[in-house]
Amino acid sequence: MQRLKFILGTSLVSLFCVIVFTGCYHSKPVSTGGWRTLLDAQHTNGWRMVGPGEFKLEKGEFVTHDGMGLFLYDREKLGDCQIRVVFKMTATNDNTGVFIRIADLPRDPWDAVNRGYEVQIANDGDEWHRTGCLYSFTEAKNLVNAPIGDWSTMLITLKGKRTIVEVNGTLVTDFTEGQPVRERTIWYEGERGERPSRGYIGLQNHGHGAEVHFKEVSVAPLK
C-alpha cells in the first residue's frame, strides 16, 4: 500500500510539472515558409530614401553610402510575420540597422528612431547597442559578431507585441511590449514608449564611412 501511494504521488507530481511547464513554455512562432521578396536586385518597388545618403545597387548588392538616412519600404505595414535580412559587413566598425514597427510613414530618419525600433547591426557596441539588439531597448541574450566579409542572416519575428531577433541562428532578442526597458541615456537613443503591432520597415545608412551590403529582404506570414 505504501509503495502504491508513493507511485501515485510521484505520478501526480510528474503530471503537475508537465502541466506547469506546458503552460509556462513560451514557444517561438514560426513562418509558413512562403517567403516573398521585398528587396533584391530584381525587386526595388516600394523602396525610397528618407533623409540623406543613398543605397547604391552595386554588382547585385545594395551598399550603404553617406547618411544618416533611411531606406524605407512604404508599400505596406508588416506584423505577425518573419522578416529575413541578408547582409554583409565589410569592416569591424560598420554600423547600420533594420527598422521595424515604425508607427507612421516617417518624414525624416529620426521618426523611425523615435517611433519604431532599430534592430542594430554593429559588432563594436555594448550589450545594449550591438548586432541583434533593439537598439538601447534590449540587452543581448547572446553576443553575436557578424563575420566581416561574409554574408549573415538576420531573422526578425513579429507576433503581436512580441519581437524575436536571431542572427545566424543565435537568439539575441526576445522582447514583448510592456516589459520594463532601461532609461534613455543619450539624445540619439529612441524615445521610450510602446510600438505598434504593425508598422513600416526600413534599412539604415549610418554614414561615417560605414559600408554595409544587403542582398535580400524577404517576408513570410506566421503559421
Side-chain angles (χ1 to χ4, degrees):
M1 180 63 71
Q2 289 295 112
R3 178 173 174 78
L4 178 60
K5 287 181 179 179
F6 174 78
I7 293 173
L8 288 172
T10 303
S11 299
L12 288 172
V13 170
S14 299
L15 178 60
F16 175 77
C17 291
V18 168
I19 292 171
V20 169
F21 178 80
T22 303
C24 295
Y25 181 64
H26 203 188
S27 61
K28 188 193 83 172
V30 295
S31 74
T32 61
W35 291 99
R36 173 169 57 96
T37 302
L38 302 183
L39 180 70
D40 65 11
Q42 288 75 45
H43 299 81
T44 58
N45 290 338
W47 292 85
R48 61 181 173 89
M49 282 302 306
V50 177
E54 61 182 320
F55 275 68
K56 293 182 180 179
L57 184 57
E58 301 174 359
K59 299 180 180 179
E61 302 165 10
F62 291 89
V63 184
T64 61
H65 288 274
D66 303 318
M68 188 191 92
L70 168 69
F71 196 35
L72 174 71
Y73 182 65
D74 65 6
R75 183 153 289 186
E76 59 186 305
K77 290 185 175 184
L78 298 179
D80 287 347
C81 67
Q82 286 189 325
I83 303 166
R84 183 173 63 202
V85 181
V86 182
F87 67 94
K88 178 171 62 179
M89 301 176 72
T90 60
T92 56
N93 63 343
D94 276 347
N95 191 322
T96 185
V98 181
F99 284 102
I100 59 172
R101 298 190 184 274
I102 306 171
D104 301 298
L105 285 173
R107 296 163 296 177
D108 64 58
W110 293 105
D111 284 341
V113 173
N114 292 317
R115 299 292 180 266
Y117 291 127
E118 178 191 354
V119 185
Q120 175 76 328
I121 298 176
N123 289 342
D124 58 355
D126 63 23
E127 60 269 25
W128 295 89
H129 304 86
R130 62 180 298 115
T131 302
C133 293
L134 303 186
Y135 185 84
S136 83
F137 280 81
T138 61
E139 183 178 11
K141 293 183 176 296
N142 295 287
L143 302 184
V144 174
N145 285 323
I148 307 302
D150 201 1
W151 293 105
S152 292
T153 299
M154 175 181 284
L155 189 66
I156 303 168
T157 303
L158 307 178
K159 174 63 174 178
K161 294 186 174 185
R162 188 180 177 196
T163 302
I164 303 168
V165 182
E166 298 162 277
V167 180
N168 295 330
T170 299
L171 176 69
V172 181
T173 293
D174 190 347
F175 173 75
T176 301
E177 300 295 325
Q179 289 180 207
V181 298
R182 68 197 289 265
E183 291 185 3
R184 196 179 186 204
T185 60
I186 197 166
W187 68 270
Y188 53 74
E189 294 182 341
E191 295 176 1
R192 275 24 187 177
E194 292 193 14
R195 281 21 178 189
S197 296
R198 301 180 64 83
Y200 295 102
I201 69 167
L203 306 176
Q204 182 191 64
N205 57 324
H206 190 274
H208 307 297
E211 184 180 295
V212 182
H213 297 229
F214 290 87
K215 184 165 64 174
E216 175 197 343
V217 179
S218 298
V219 62
L222 298 180
K223 290 183 179 178

